[in-house]
Amino acid sequence: MLERTVQVEHMRFLTLLAICLVRALVLPLPAVASEAALLYDGAPFHDYVCQTQKRIADQAPREHGNYVGILNHGYEALLLRVYLIRNAKKSIDIQTFIWADDECGNFFRHELEKAALRGVKVRVIADYISSAKNPQLLAMHYSASPNIQIKSYRPAARQLRANALQRLIDVLLPTGTHQRMHNKTMIFDGVIGLTGGRNFDNHYYNYATTFNFKDRDAWVIGPVVQDMATSFEEYWKFRKAVDLGKLRDVRRYIKKNEEEPLKLPREDNAPLSFWEQLEEDLNTPELLKAKFYKPLLCAEKVRFLSDKPGVKTAFFYLNPWGGGRVSKEIRATLRRAKDTMFIQSPYVIVNMQTRSLFRKLLKLHPDMRIRISTNSFGAADHIETYSANFRLRSKIIDGLGLEVYEYKPHPADQSYHLPNYEELVQRAKDEGLRRSPFMSIHAKTFVLDERIAFVGTYNLDPRSQYINSEDGFLIEDSRIAQAIQEDILRDIHPDNSWIIARKQIPLADVNRLLTGISGLSPIEIWPLQNTSSFELLPEAEAVPPGHPDFYTNYKDIGSFPGAEGLTPDEIITRLYSMFGKVVTPLL
């Protein structure tokens, strides 16, 4: 009896062992765990990646369990991107509005090429309008590895380097050419996602000799990245996203490259200290941990907002309350503000609908302060777009009472943002440039009541609202919102920005009336602006416009501070302000 019992137990043990072996060989769960353990193995945030993989496997809510970091510094944004590219294991998906043929643009091309050669699947969608038009360069990049796939969003005449007539026909025909893909996303292995204002161009990474952007990205490790991946797939499959191999001029060079392979140009001025510092920092684990791991915060709630590809139209005036998903979500979110609102945008073109939203908010919450950080005349990267902001000042300041702060081209904290400034100055001289490199706001952000923040690609202008496709992270977490707000407060500090306020002039009310009447016509003929730029006097206390001490503490320095005499840019600004009302929505 005892012997039979032992035999039964022995058989039961063998049966259980066989079941375990079958489970180990057949079931996918241990494979998922093993794969998760390999992703970003050795990275300081490896544990967060593993948590994300588990939450995805468990089908947990995507809005929760997301670790968020904010990138305010151009060089750090470059450093993290390169680190993530070099450590990606399976896939890298990228959308961008601009991919330039310059040092930073080619550097990123090389990094992606190396990733593809080690087996990573790389997919890129770049908007046609502002990206490099060098078919030979892109053919070489396209042909570098079977793992690289590249598409162009809405190319003209099915080629990269279309002539002027072809581009004109493309603009005139109802092809939707005005609608551009302004999205900027990077997705690594389906678990890490990044979006914000930065493209692939020298200006975004502290390497340009003309102007460098003060920009902002948000990067996330978490299940919400699945929503980014879903959005990317929509754009990848969109019929207006055309494979480079189907563009006639690129295809010709691909065939040439097959016969005699060529190599991409290296990042031209690579031996400079900027690139040496990058390589050194990439190999300093403690620095990477301090810059990228320690600042990560697990947000209470994160959502990824994105427009569907190609759904917006330039004929938005037929439906002034239209717009895509991002526009509608942002309007709904802004309505939730009660106490404070900070907006940072390179362009401030506040149309009728947006003014109506602000007006209703201020009527509902009379004590609310709405502060906007944007570019001054001297810091603007597009004079034509700045002119629209200049034209609408009276409606923003007089009509709504918003506080507008315009960033100085050389803010007091410039050395913090551009530690390599002297090197850039020397390069500018070597290139024969008359003007020294300056700084320009490019961040697209808002913060509400110190608890909700948006970081993405959406500008405060009609193009973002009605025409371009956009995306971004909507983050509900007081710690992250307050950290972003602190950075904006630094940018609008009197040392770094001028403030816009009403002029103290005789018959100011009459001038305001004439400005308003002039604004009703297609051509604004009244030349005298109601507003001006003001600078805080030494040792005076900073106060908002409307405060009894404002005009005592601030000095009126004119509408175009920093400009000596009547400059060509000032003339262009005034002409656009006068005649540009019709084209303002397209700017």
Side-chain angles (χ1 to χ4, degrees):
M1 183 71 178
L2 179 61
E3 183 178 347
R4 181 172 177 79
T5 303
V6 171
Q7 288 177 344
V8 170
E9 290 298 325
H10 184 63
M11 289 298 295
R12 185 177 296 170
F13 171 78
L14 291 175
T15 302
L16 289 172
L17 180 62
I19 291 171
C20 289
L21 288 171
V22 170
R23 286 176 61 88
L25 292 171
V26 176
L27 295 183
L29 288 178
V32 171
S34 174
E35 185 179 300
L38 289 174
L39 283 182
Y40 295 90
D41 186 25
F45 43 79
H46 172 67
D47 289 348
Y48 297 163
V49 172
C50 290
Q51 290 177 35
T52 297
Q53 289 285 83
K54 186 177 184 305
R55 289 186 66 85
I56 291 173
D58 293 343
Q59 296 184 335
R62 296 180 181 182
E63 296 177 347
H64 307 293
N66 294 286
Y67 293 87
V68 178
I70 303 299
L71 302 171
N72 296 312
H73 194 278
Y75 174 74
E76 290 176 2
L78 173 68
L79 185 67
L80 179 65
R81 281 168 166 82
V82 177
Y83 179 82
L84 293 175
I85 290 171
R86 290 187 180 181
N87 285 274
K89 293 292 190 296
K90 299 185 302 178
S91 64
I92 302 172
D93 292 331
I94 297 174
Q95 279 177 275
T96 187
F97 180 60
I98 300 171
W99 199 309
D101 179 9
D102 61 11
E103 290 86 357
C104 287
N106 288 328
F107 179 80
F108 278 114
R109 288 187 180 95
H110 271 285
E111 291 298 322
L112 291 174
E113 184 178 304
K114 288 187 288 186
L117 291 172
R118 68 171 188 267
V120 178
K121 301 292 184 183
V122 176
R123 294 187 295 176
V124 175
I125 313 172
D127 190 87
Y128 167 81
I129 199 75
S130 296
S131 294
K133 302 293 191 298
N134 185 337
Q136 182 178 11
L137 172 74
L138 293 181
M140 287 188 286
H141 185 46
Y142 181 90
S143 306
S145 165
N147 289 327
I148 295 179
Q149 294 177 276
I150 308 171
K151 292 189 175 185
S152 178
Y153 188 87
R154 292 193 186 278
R158 285 278 171 163
Q159 55 187 347
L160 203 62
R161 190 173 283 169
N163 60 42
L165 179 59
Q166 289 169 324
R167 292 197 303 271
L168 178 62
I169 293 172
D170 190 57
V171 169
L172 295 177
L173 290 176
T175 60
T177 190
H178 291 288
Q179 192 278 313
R180 308 312 314 180
M181 185 192 73
H182 199 236
N183 309 50
K184 305 172 183 74
T185 60
M186 299 184 76
I187 306 168
F188 301 90
D189 294 320
V191 294
I192 300 177
L194 185 153
T195 189
R198 293 184 175 94
N199 293 287
F200 295 90
D201 179 297
N202 285 349
H203 299 289
Y204 300 89
Y205 305 103
N206 296 5
Y207 200 74
T209 54
T210 49
F211 56 87
N212 287 273
F213 285 126
K214 171 69 174 65
D215 215 328
R216 183 173 295 108
D217 296 318
W219 70 290
V220 174
I221 305 173
V224 76
V225 177
Q226 290 178 280
D227 293 330
M228 299 182 77
T230 299
S231 174
F232 181 88
E233 290 298 334
E234 289 181 330
Y235 281 86
W236 188 256
K237 295 173 183 176
F238 183 51
R239 60 188 178 85
K240 293 293 185 180
V242 182
D243 189 273
L244 282 191
K246 295 181 179 179
L247 301 183
R248 292 193 295 273
D249 48 357
V250 178
R251 190 165 60 241
R252 286 196 296 270
Y253 280 104
I254 290 173
K255 290 181 179 178
K256 288 183 180 180
N257 193 47
E258 289 172 353
E259 297 169 4
E260 187 178 348
L262 299 172
K263 291 184 177 181
L264 280 169
R266 280 298 297 171
E267 57 278 3
D268 302 333
N269 295 320
L272 293 175
S273 61
F274 184 92
W275 302 103
E276 293 172 353
Q277 185 65 51
L278 180 70
E279 291 298 332
E280 181 181 334
D281 290 347
L282 285 166
N283 290 287
T284 310
E286 286 305 313
L287 181 142
L288 295 171
K289 185 176 181 179
K291 285 186 179 297
F292 303 124
Y293 171 67
K294 290 183 178 179
L296 283 173
L297 293 171
C298 188
E300 293 178 16
K301 184 177 180 181
V302 181
R303 293 172 58 207
F304 179 70
L305 310 181
S306 63
D307 287 319
K308 284 188 173 294
V311 298
K312 293 184 177 180
T313 172
F315 300 105
F316 60 85
Y317 46 79
L318 298 176
N319 180 16
W321 273 262
R325 292 187 298 196
V326 176
S327 298
K328 292 171 183 176
E329 290 278 3
I330 285 179
R331 287 200 298 269
T333 304
L334 292 179
R335 291 190 190 103
R336 296 166 60 186
K338 296 178 180 178
D339 300 314
T340 60
M341 183 185 298
F342 286 83
I343 298 175
Q344 191 161 50
S345 174
Y347 321 117
V348 179
I349 307 175
V350 185
N351 64 359
M352 178 181 66
Q353 184 189 5
T354 307
R355 293 198 300 273
S356 174
L357 187 151
F358 286 147
R359 193 174 294 110
K360 290 175 181 177
L361 268 176
L362 292 168
K363 185 177 180 180
L364 192 62
H365 308 289
D367 295 328
M368 179 188 289
R369 289 183 70 183
I370 300 177
R371 282 166 275 190
I372 299 176
S373 168
T374 188
N375 284 312
S376 65
F377 171 76
D381 63 317
H382 289 296
I383 289 299
E384 297 85 357
T385 308
Y386 177 80
S387 69
N389 168 27
F390 183 76
R391 183 179 64 79
L392 292 166
R393 269 187 186 175
S394 292
K395 293 179 180 178
I396 297 171
I397 305 299
D398 286 336
L400 297 171
L402 307 188
E403 298 176 36
V404 177
Y405 299 82
E406 293 194 342
Y407 200 55
K408 297 178 181 179
H410 297 285
D413 63 357
Q414 177 175 269
S415 60
Y416 167 75
H417 296 295
L418 281 177
N420 59 325
Y421 178 71
E422 294 304 323
E423 183 177 326
L424 294 178
V425 169
Q426 185 56 53
R427 284 181 56 205
K429 289 179 180 177
D430 294 343
E431 293 172 12
L433 300 178
R434 293 184 178 182
R435 185 178 180 183
S436 297
F438 63 93
M439 293 196 64
S440 179
I441 292 284
H442 196 259
K444 300 97 165 43
T445 306
F446 64 73
V447 181
L448 309 179
D449 298 339
E450 300 186 352
R451 60 186 181 87
I452 301 174
F454 173 84
V455 179
T457 68
Y458 192 94
N459 292 311
L460 190 60
D461 67 7
R463 281 205 70 91
S464 285
Q465 186 170 352
Y466 299 111
I467 306 174
N468 293 341
S469 61
E470 308 287 353
D471 65 46
F473 285 121
L474 185 62
I475 305 162
E476 297 192 34
D477 188 282
S478 58
R479 299 163 301 166
I480 297 169
Q482 288 169 22
I484 296 172
Q485 181 171 304
E486 284 299 316
D487 192 67
I488 297 175
L489 280 169
R490 176 174 177 159
D491 292 338
I492 68 174
H493 189 277
D495 290 340
N496 300 321
S497 286
W498 294 295
I499 188 169
I500 307 302
R502 295 173 182 170
K503 290 179 180 179
Q504 279 190 310
I505 56 174
L507 302 175
D509 291 336
V510 174
N511 185 66
R512 194 172 302 125
L513 177 63
L514 293 172
T515 301
I517 294 171
S518 176
L520 297 174
S521 65
I523 299 176
E524 301 197 13
I525 58 174
W526 187 249
L528 188 58
Q529 278 275 335
N530 265 343
T531 60
S532 187
S533 303
F534 286 80
E535 186 167 55
L536 186 67
L537 294 171
E539 300 182 7
E541 180 186 0
V543 295
H547 190 280
D549 297 331
F550 181 81
Y551 293 105
T552 304
N553 295 7
Y554 286 81
K555 177 186 178 182
D556 185 342
I557 55 173
S559 297
F560 303 97
E564 297 179 2
L566 190 64
T567 64
D569 282 348
E570 182 178 341
I571 294 171
I572 291 171
T573 300
R574 292 189 180 278
L575 287 173
Y576 267 104
S577 298
M578 183 180 296
F579 297 103
K581 189 172 184 178
V582 176
V583 298
T584 289
L586 296 176
L587 295 174

